[in-house]
Amino acid sequence: MRSSILVVLTIFSLNAFAQLPEIDWDELSKTQPWAVTELYKDVPKVTPGEGASAPSDAVVLFDGKDLSMWQKAQFGSPVNMEGFEAMIPLIDPNFKGDAAEWTVKKGELEVKPGTGSIATKKAFGDVQLHVEWLAPVMPADKKGQAGGNSGVIFMGMYEVQVLNSYENPTYSNGQAASIYKQHIPLANASKAPENWQEYDIIFMAPKFSEKGTLVSPAKVTVIHNGVLVQNNVELLGPTCFIGTPYYIAHPEKLPIMLQDHSDKMRFRNIWVREL
Ligand code: MG
């Protein structure tokens, strides 16, 4: 006991009186060795958005006016890997689909249940995405996954869940800001229905070799209403409702999809920056 106190005191006193090496600034100024670690490179100038406006280099996907950046998705969401095996070889990154039928009113975009998920006309790979969404008050019998559901589905297959998770329990890896059935959010930062909520998402697409083997998995960071809820998590493969996912090689850029899950979820101020 006594010796351990002595050791602690000794370490403390050594630290307390340790001297940092003297720097001879006059001598160093002759060679200026600090310049070796100072880098100069053209850093792109981006004007930040003010209020609800997007940064100057963003692709604005919805600014409250129309659905000109969107169309009906080529495919809905497969429920299992058998579905992805069938879908992925048929995906066309330049697919020309029918006009999206969701409702635009009062500067907002509302899901029109039954018309299907919508997808961007443009294909994207690595992105920073901003989206604001709102869950309506649902009838009392609509609970859990039926209680105000949509999703931001990167590349048409990797879903960040959009769900009313304010006093609406469901499985943890299916709540708002989960990577659906893969990663539980670090916190539930949900606001009550009828409040606008924000997602800022960094999505890094999976990379495949020319032979189609996985080089690096998809990685996702999500900030929900200013709270970090997914911290660069690695995805196991496409979002599966049933079964265990795995990767199947696909094009490096594909459309971003918003999910029609039969609820009148609303969206506004959607923009994306390509990384
Ligand atoms: Mg969903």
Side-chain angles (χ1 to χ4, degrees):
M1 181 66 188
R2 176 176 291 231
S3 67
S4 65
I5 289 171
L6 203 64
V7 167
V8 169
L9 281 174
T10 307
I11 290 169
F12 175 77
S13 57
L14 277 174
N15 276 335
F17 297 105
Q19 289 285 325
L20 294 175
E22 290 271 346
I23 301 286
D24 184 343
W25 289 106
D26 287 340
E27 185 58 33
L28 280 182
S29 67
K30 292 175 190 165
T31 55
Q32 306 195 1
W34 48 84
V36 175
T37 48
E38 295 170 2
L39 306 179
Y40 292 84
K41 182 176 181 284
D42 278 336
V43 176
K45 287 195 174 75
V46 175
T47 308
E50 288 201 26
S53 65
S56 57
D57 63 345
V59 177
V60 176
L61 297 178
F62 180 69
D63 63 0
K65 295 191 184 84
D66 59 47
L67 276 168
S68 58
M69 299 296 285
W70 299 83
Q71 61 185 0
K72 283 194 175 185
Q74 187 185 5
F75 294 102
S77 298
V79 297
N80 57 19
M81 286 311 300
E82 196 181 356
F84 284 104
E85 293 275 10
M87 179 185 90
I88 287 173
L90 304 175
I91 293 177
D92 175 5
N94 303 308
F95 174 73
K96 301 268 185 292
D98 293 336
E101 290 182 54
W102 290 14
T103 309
V104 177
K105 59 181 180 187
K106 296 181 188 165
E108 299 167 13
L109 171 59
E110 185 179 83
V111 178
K112 193 170 185 181
T115 62
S117 299
I118 64 172
T120 54
K121 291 176 181 172
K122 186 174 158 58
F124 296 96
D126 300 341
V127 290
Q128 172 189 352
L129 179 134
H130 174 88
V131 58
E132 297 170 25
W133 59 273
L134 179 149
V137 173
M138 298 293 290
D141 63 332
K142 294 272 193 177
K143 292 191 170 91
Q145 293 292 312
N149 191 332
S150 182
V152 180
I153 307 179
F154 293 91
M155 311 192 94
M157 58 185 108
Y158 305 103
E159 181 179 359
V160 176
Q161 175 68 301
V162 171
L163 185 77
N164 167 37
S165 286
Y166 183 86
E167 298 176 353
N168 179 39
T170 186
Y171 40 94
S172 307
N173 58 354
Q175 71 181 66
S178 63
I179 308 304
Y180 186 75
K181 288 202 171 176
Q182 296 194 28
H183 291 284
I184 298 168
L186 298 168
N188 182 347
S190 298
K191 295 180 181 178
E194 296 296 339
N195 286 285
W196 283 100
Q197 310 200 44
E198 295 187 2
Y199 280 170
D200 288 285
I201 303 172
I202 295 153
F203 174 82
M204 301 302 284
K207 309 294 185 296
F208 300 94
S209 71
E210 280 186 15
K211 287 181 182 166
T213 53
L214 183 71
V215 174
S216 68
K219 293 174 194 159
V220 182
T221 294
V222 181
I223 295 172
H224 182 192
N225 297 328
V227 177
L228 179 69
V229 292
Q230 300 286 357
N231 187 7
N232 199 32
V233 294
E234 293 187 357
L235 275 62
L236 306 169
T239 299
C240 286
F241 179 55
I242 301 165
T244 307
Y246 55 85
Y247 280 98
I248 301 171
H250 57 67
E252 56 188 32
K253 292 186 177 187
L254 288 171
I256 297 168
M257 201 159 93
L258 292 177
Q259 186 185 41
D260 172 6
H261 202 283
S262 306
D263 300 329
K264 288 189 171 183
M265 304 293 282
R266 284 144 63 190
F267 295 90
R268 69 179 187 190
N269 195 22
I270 311 173
W271 51 259
V272 70
R273 293 183 62 246
E274 295 181 88
L275 304 175

